Amino acid sequence: MTSATVKFGEKEGEISFSEVNSVDFMGLYLDFYVQNPVEAVPKECFPNLKKLISMAAAYLPLMPPDWSFAWNVSMPLQKRRLFCCVDSEYNVFVARTHSWNPSPFEKNPRMTVQMVSGVSGMESTTTVDCGENVPSDKILNTLFTKFFAEESQNGLEIYENGETFGIRDTLPEDFDEKDEQIKEVELKFKCGCTKSKIADIFTRMSKKDVDFLFETESVLSIECPRCGQKYRIKKDDLR
Ligand SMILES: [Zn+2]
């Protein structure tokens, strides 16, 4: 199971820090085999996706409990889009990346953060841009910094911790540590695979190969390469 643990301190309902403890990303490697049977996610894309997920995880404790949120990042130079959405009610996250052809007007990396309240139905969208020539490994840092500046989240600071991001409170500590409660939230990765998406993997194969596979077995057991869920596929299930 792909999951991330978020640790945060809370005193009288106020968040004092938030930190991503561990993030396991084996699931990212085969993303596109399920989403789109033609393309695999290029390796150079993993670091940024990892950072985006860690940031979404670190941001979770700062959100009111019934709000869910999604981070969309477009990177024109890399011709890629990254996406991470967190459902705060069920503590699940979905993360994707896909190739994308920017129009000539879309030159700058851009991040759009959408937030939706499950209770009131309220919505908010914030968009931030960064310069055209920002190197790939600095794009997310720049966008997050701008986002926090625009949201005027005073006292909160983002930091890079190896391959992931966290958020910390920079305001002076004027309370007893013992009054502070440490909370942990575990976010679970939601794959989004379905039987029909798994069956689509066969569209990459020639009819001859498919016939061969079903020659001796009437039902094949296929594991989702991303989350390990098993599906039983019959020849009739293939389009
Ligand atoms: Zn799956």
Side-chain angles (χ1 to χ4, degrees), residues 18-142:
S18 129
E19 198 169 279
V20 179
N21 250 2
S22 66
V23 190
D24 162 27
F25 290 98
M26 68 87 184
L28 297 180
Y29 289 70
L30 291 158
D31 193 33
F32 254 86
Y33 283 95
V34 180
Q35 201 66 12
N36 169 348
V38 179
E39 187 185 0
V41 177
K43 266 215 158 95
E44 59 268 23
C45 189
F46 299 159
N48 276 333
L49 191 55
K50 201 168 193 172
K51 284 175 176 176
L52 184 68
I53 297 168
S54 68
M55 188 44 132
Y59 195 61
L60 177 72
L62 304 173
M63 293 293 293
D66 64 307
W67 284 68
S68 293
F69 53 97
W71 306 70
N72 278 289
V73 177
S74 53
M75 304 190 297
L77 205 62
Q78 292 74 18
K79 299 194 171 175
R80 286 244 140 222
R81 274 185 166 151
L82 310 174
F83 171 79
C84 182
C85 170
V86 178
D87 181 331
S88 59
E89 191 180 350
Y90 299 103
N91 287 349
V92 294
F93 70 95
V94 172
R96 296 278 182 275
T97 169
H98 62 90
S99 59
W100 158 67
N101 272 325
S103 77
F105 311 104
E106 296 169 298
K107 284 186 178 159
N108 299 337
R110 167 176 281 192
M111 179 168 75
T112 304
V113 184
Q114 289 166 291
M115 304 187 193
V116 182
S117 163
V119 172
S120 66
M122 270 165 52
E123 246 186 278
S124 86
T125 305
T126 309
T127 299
V128 287
D129 281 288
C130 73
E132 193 179 335
N133 297 318
V134 174
S136 173
D137 61 331
K138 298 281 178 267
I139 290 174
L140 288 184
N141 199 329
T142 308

Side-chain angles (χ1 to χ4, degrees), residues 2-17:
T2 307
S3 63
T5 308
V6 188
K7 220 179 191 182
F8 61 102
E10 197 176 275
K11 201 214 170 203
E12 289 157 11
E14 295 283 312
I15 307 291
S16 59
F17 69 87

